[in-house]
Amino acid sequence: MAKSKARVKVPKSAKKGEIFQVKTLISHKMESGQRKNKKTGAKIPRMIINNFTCTYNGDMVIDCDWFPSISANPYLAFFVKADKSGELAFKWTDDNGKTVEKTASITVN
Amino acid sequence: MGIEQQGLKRHLRLGTIIMALIGVGLGGSIANAGSDDKYRAGDRSSGYTYAAKETRAMQDDDFANPAYIWIDQGEALWSTAEGAAGKSCSTCHDDAADTMKGVATRYPAYDKSLGKMKSTEQQINICRVKQMQAKPFKWESSQMLSMTAYVNSQSRGMAMNVKVDGAAAPFFEKGKAFFNERRGQLNMACKNCHEDNAGNMARANLLSEGQSTGFPLYRLKWQKLGSIHRRFRGCNKNVRAKPYGYGSDEYVNLELYVGWRGRGLPIETPAVRN
Amino acid sequence: MTALSRRDVLRLSGAGAAAFVASSLLPNLAAADAASTAAAIKKIIGSKTLQQGRITLELPQIAENGNTVPVGFEVQSPMIGADHVKAVHLFAEGNPEPSVASIRFSPASGRAKAATRMRLAKTQNIIAVAEMSDGSVYMAKTEVKVTIGGCGG
């Protein structure tokens, strides 16, 4: 998870009440737990990002549980309603409980 | 362009017309969905024109394109000093947006001191070892893919234009011979799929022209970025031939020939393909 | 022009088939099925009746590669405190585990629309279930054909 790199796309500004799109992407293998090591035949243990959240000035916007069927390098696009200037905070959590966090600020006028 | 090359060009053109006639079925309908004129040059078409519309959409939006994770990493590496000389790429090359613009259209290029062709990856490692006194990157490492993709992406939209005459000529001929030679237990040449049957299906796969202008690219199959040499190795393994090494002379020469086949096509790095 | 001979094509197909099996992401495991997916849905909605409508799925008819299949959905809702979408659950009937994602919304979302990418082991039905704030539940179902494609290692 330490190596995972996240990208987020958030507009710099929006009008109050405007609904804008946010796009997120993080590098991660999303090891499904279904694959086997080709040489040894041993099962490769599951290691995925199982949760993603986005908060807006501390309030929950979206809270997702992900399962092994989510593709490698998980992508999520969703919407947020512009309310007050402030910060969007993004958090990805893996099966070990390790997290990657990223923030983006937005001006609402 | 020599007489032989012009002959080959005519051959390619004729081939394309015949292929177009054969490929009217599934290939035709996929290839003609949406406007993709900018991904064509003369009788040549990028793999983009063979891709499904969802795959194209992933490439069209830089935020949907997973390859940008690597591009971001490449951008960060560009100005990170490494090695005994305390230099980064930007120490000598300043802003990549200016200095690396056009590089992807010219590589592989002839290197006088090596006496042979060198690929972008090899030039990056020459810089790392000689100028930075740093360890070379491994070919298919995340760092090498990131740096190569970052460098090549500076030429996005520019026309492929490798130099194949002068000192490059003998290497171009070797690459061309490789492309046309049958190999492996299946006894098939690159050309059998990517020239004679582009637009046709090989089982569930729509065969493309095998153009190289989007590399390194994100393959859905790989679920990550990969180099053109990884792709060459995959093709060679598919026809049950022993693949050559990453950065081998064989593949660098082939890369030159394949680059010439795609002359005029826009650089798409980082592309997204099946 | 030297076309692939019939034999060439057959041989290439054989090589391809072997490669596809070797590279399959979700091999050697019993896939989920309609029954286990229904059980997973029941766990979420209890005894409520699933209604059709209000939720639409956006999926390719044919997925070029099962590793990365784009999936989007939208639920018709004003997304205000008194009337909003609480969650959308995505299921893939033919994957080893039917659950794909559970996405909990809030009125701060403004719009109950999202897009992600998923793995599909084979041709199968994709089901989306929307839970509304008034307790009603809606569903949509779409089949996606999966091409097990992609030459080269």
Side-chain angles (χ1 to χ4, degrees):
Chain A
M1 201 66 174
K3 279 187 186 166
S4 287
K5 301 272 187 290
R7 308 185 87 224
V8 297
K9 189 187 189 186
V10 175
K12 285 196 171 67
S13 66
K15 288 201 174 84
K16 189 173 168 69
E18 185 186 334
I19 295 165
F20 59 86
Q21 193 180 36
V22 171
K23 293 178 184 175
T24 65
L25 186 70
I26 187 164
S27 61
H28 198 282
K29 268 188 97 166
M30 296 294 279
E31 190 62 61
S32 68
Q34 306 284 357
R35 294 200 312 152
K36 283 179 180 170
N37 181 311
K38 278 177 192 165
K39 280 174 194 152
T40 64
K43 221 178 191 187
I44 303 169
R46 172 183 139 155
M47 177 47 67
I48 67 165
I49 295 174
N50 61 42
N51 184 263
F52 167 78
T53 59
C54 169
T55 58
Y56 182 13
N57 291 335
D59 295 332
M60 191 63 75
V61 175
I62 197 167
D63 175 5
C64 307
D65 292 333
W66 285 344
F67 297 92
S69 290
I70 291 291
S71 301
N73 306 313
Y75 170 79
L76 186 75
F78 56 96
F79 289 83
V80 182
K81 191 172 180 179
D83 181 29
K84 286 179 195 148
S85 293
E87 196 177 71
L88 288 167
F90 305 91
K91 187 160 106 178
W92 293 262
T93 307
D94 74 8
D95 283 344
N96 283 342
K98 294 209 170 117
T99 60
V100 169
E101 295 181 47
K102 209 168 169 81
T103 57
S105 56
I106 183 160
T107 307
V108 175
N109 43 44
Chain B
M1 192 182 282
I3 291 167
E4 208 182 332
Q5 285 171 33
Q6 283 188 359
L8 184 72
K9 199 175 166 187
R10 268 200 301 277
H11 172 84
L12 278 168
R13 222 175 243 153
L14 181 67
T16 309
I17 293 163
I18 297 168
M19 274 181 249
L21 291 173
I22 298 169
V24 172
L26 182 56
S29 63
I30 288 176
N32 292 329
S35 171
D36 50 25
D37 289 351
K38 68 173 176 170
Y39 295 101
R40 299 181 193 277
D43 54 9
R44 304 169 294 282
S45 302
S46 152
Y48 181 93
T49 68
Y50 293 85
K53 82 172 191 292
E54 292 80 17
T55 309
R56 294 184 191 191
M58 227 178 274
Q59 177 174 332
D60 291 345
D61 175 354
D62 289 353
F63 260 88
N65 185 344
Y68 272 82
I69 290 167
W70 284 264
I71 298 275
D72 278 359
Q73 195 192 346
E75 187 177 8
L77 281 172
W78 181 261
S79 48
T80 305
E82 262 190 89
K87 289 180 184 172
S88 72
C89 303
S90 66
T91 310
C92 296
H93 297 291
D94 203 7
D95 186 353
D98 300 324
T99 58
M100 294 297 116
K101 201 173 174 180
V103 166
T105 69
R106 299 194 295 269
Y107 270 73
Y110 181 74
D111 186 304
K112 234 186 216 171
S113 61
L114 295 173
K116 58 184 186 180
M117 307 304 295
K118 67 182 170 200
S119 70
T120 308
E121 288 91 342
Q122 287 163 333
Q123 180 58 58
I124 288 167
N125 271 344
I126 290 170
C127 284
R128 285 185 63 82
V129 173
K130 285 196 177 167
Q131 302 299 329
M132 297 165 68
Q133 292 169 37
K135 270 193 194 165
F137 287 140
K138 281 188 180 155
W139 197 274
E140 207 64 20
S141 65
S142 161
Q143 294 100 321
M144 179 59 101
L145 290 166
S146 295
M147 183 56 75
T148 312
Y150 179 64
V151 167
N152 284 1
S153 70
Q154 306 305 327
S155 307
R156 218 157 47 141
M158 296 174 74
M160 188 62 180
N161 186 28
V162 282
K163 199 167 154 44
V164 297
D165 55 4
F171 302 97
F172 173 79
E173 290 305 325
K174 282 181 190 169
K176 183 166 111 181
F178 189 105
F179 190 85
N180 292 310
E181 257 163 31
R182 286 183 179 262
R183 67 191 65 250
Q185 287 176 327
L186 301 193
N187 197 30
M188 289 172 70
C190 307
K191 80 183 279 282
N192 292 137
C193 282
H194 298 294
E195 208 162 284
D196 302 339
N197 282 287
N200 291 335
M201 305 294 286
R203 201 163 178 266
N205 297 286
L206 178 61
L207 294 168
S208 76
E209 292 168 26
Q211 300 293 359
S212 60
T213 38
F215 281 89
L217 56 72
Y218 190 90
R219 270 195 92 195
L220 305 183
K221 184 189 175 75
W222 295 335
Q223 303 181 72
K224 61 181 293 212
L225 211 66
S227 70
I228 181 75
H229 288 201
R230 179 173 180 190
R231 195 70 188 85
F232 288 159
R233 287 172 60 87
C235 280
N236 279 175
K237 285 182 208 166
N238 264 193
V239 300
R240 297 273 189 273
K242 193 168 186 284
Y244 289 88
Y246 292 103
S248 58
D249 291 347
E250 286 82 359
Y251 282 167
V252 175
N253 295 337
L254 178 62
E255 189 182 341
L256 175 68
Y257 177 69
V258 172
W260 173 82
R261 286 179 78 240
R263 65 207 176 282
L265 290 175
I267 301 298
E268 293 171 45
T269 311
V272 181
R273 296 286 186 270
N274 176 13
Chain C
M1 151 159 178
T2 24
L4 288 187
S5 71
R6 201 179 130 78
R7 186 175 294 174
D8 279 341
V9 172
L10 286 174
R11 282 187 305 195
L12 189 65
S13 302
F20 300 147
V21 172
S23 68
S24 169
L25 257 173
L26 310 159
N28 310 326
L29 268 139
D33 54 21
S36 62
T37 306
I41 293 172
K42 199 161 169 55
K43 234 174 151 178
I44 292 165
I45 66 165
S47 58
K48 289 169 189 158
T49 312
L50 274 172
Q51 303 174 64
Q52 297 287 331
R54 289 190 74 171
I55 180 162
T56 47
L57 269 168
E58 197 183 331
L59 286 159
Q61 279 188 312
I62 300 172
E64 193 169 41
N65 191 300
N67 284 344
T68 314
V69 183
V71 52
F73 62 82
E74 176 154 25
V75 189
Q76 297 309 315
S77 164
M79 293 304 276
I80 53 172
D83 183 4
H84 62 273
V85 179
K86 275 172 67 183
V88 171
H89 309 273
L90 293 173
F91 300 94
E93 269 186 3
N95 277 3
E97 192 181 334
S99 292
V100 174
S102 285
I103 300 159
R104 289 174 288 277
F105 290 94
S106 72
S109 307
R111 206 173 163 188
K113 180 180 161 93
T116 183
R117 295 169 188 152
M118 62 185 170
R119 295 166 169 155
L120 295 180
K122 58 179 183 183
T123 294
Q124 58 182 288
N125 287 320
I126 305 308
I127 297 170
V129 172
E131 286 184 90
M132 318 300 276
S133 56
D134 68 358
S136 59
V137 282
Y138 291 84
M139 72 162 282
K141 180 157 100 172
T142 307
E143 191 195 52
V144 179
K145 289 193 166 61
V146 177
T147 316
I148 304 177
C151 281

